[in-house]
Amino acid sequence: YQRRVRGLDLHKRVALNDFSVPAYCRLGTLSHVNAWFGTSGTVTPLHFDSYDNIFVQVFGYKYVRLYDKSQTPYLYKGSRKTLKANDTMAQNNISLVSVESPDLEQFPLFSKATFSEAIIGPGEMIFIPRGFWHFVKSLSPSFSISFW
């Protein structure tokens, strides 16, 4: 189970009282702060965001796979036509491919996509540029914060 936490009061408690905002956030405008809690094995499917993201791992470990936006033709972006209107994937920013078990008969170009990968642990952060595709899997119970 993974939960995106919203609400200004919680953001103040989590981001400002317990943690300092990374200095890198001062290079631009900080729009959103989201906290992510998850158990081991929690998966965030392959998707992209419309904000630059400084993703900070507070505790636990996560596997992160990144695809440059130039790889989009190989990643089978879902469209409103292929997804149900009430589906959470209807944001039009999620791949139809399951990264962990891709159906290469249905999505043959996915095998041509190139990526970078990393495992991040407590106190580490990774910059995910706006429009970069990313897949994230918790390797242990974990807590992360996204600074958008």
Side-chain angles (χ1 to χ4, degrees):
Y1 177 73
Q2 191 166 19
R3 175 77 176 144
R4 185 170 111 167
V5 181
R6 292 192 142 196
L8 184 58
D9 291 338
L10 180 59
H11 288 168
K12 285 181 181 178
R13 283 198 315 265
V14 170
L16 300 178
N17 292 341
D18 297 330
F19 307 95
S20 59
V21 175
Y24 298 108
C25 293
R26 294 185 195 100
L27 299 174
T29 302
L30 181 62
S31 302
H32 304 287
V33 177
N34 288 306
W36 306 94
F37 299 90
T39 59
S40 182
T42 299
V43 169
T44 301
L46 185 60
H47 72 287
F48 65 89
D49 296 313
S50 55
Y51 302 99
D52 288 333
N53 182 0
I54 296 178
F55 186 83
V56 179
Q57 191 64 23
V58 179
F59 71 79
Y61 293 85
K62 287 191 175 172
Y63 169 81
V64 179
R65 183 184 284 193
L66 297 172
Y67 296 84
D68 185 274
K69 51 180 121 176
S70 67
Q71 299 302 298
T72 298
Y74 309 120
L75 302 180
Y76 297 89
K77 178 180 161 187
S79 70
R80 296 193 193 284
K81 291 180 183 177
T82 59
L83 304 167
K84 295 177 184 176
N86 63 351
D87 195 312
T88 57
M89 292 175 43
Q91 296 177 55
N92 206 30
N93 68 336
I94 296 180
S95 173
L96 298 173
V97 180
S98 170
V99 168
E100 293 184 293
S101 58
D103 180 342
L104 296 179
E105 287 187 21
Q106 186 175 6
F107 307 111
L109 296 178
F110 183 70
S111 64
K112 296 182 179 187
T114 59
F115 60 88
S116 299
E117 60 188 347
I119 294 176
I120 59 172
E124 296 178 334
M125 61 183 155
I126 189 168
F127 176 65
I128 304 172
R130 174 179 53 156
F132 270 54
W133 292 83
H134 50 287
F135 165 86
V136 182
K137 183 174 183 175
S138 294
L139 302 177
S140 65
S142 64
F143 173 56
S144 313
I145 302 175
S146 289
F147 295 91
W148 286 328

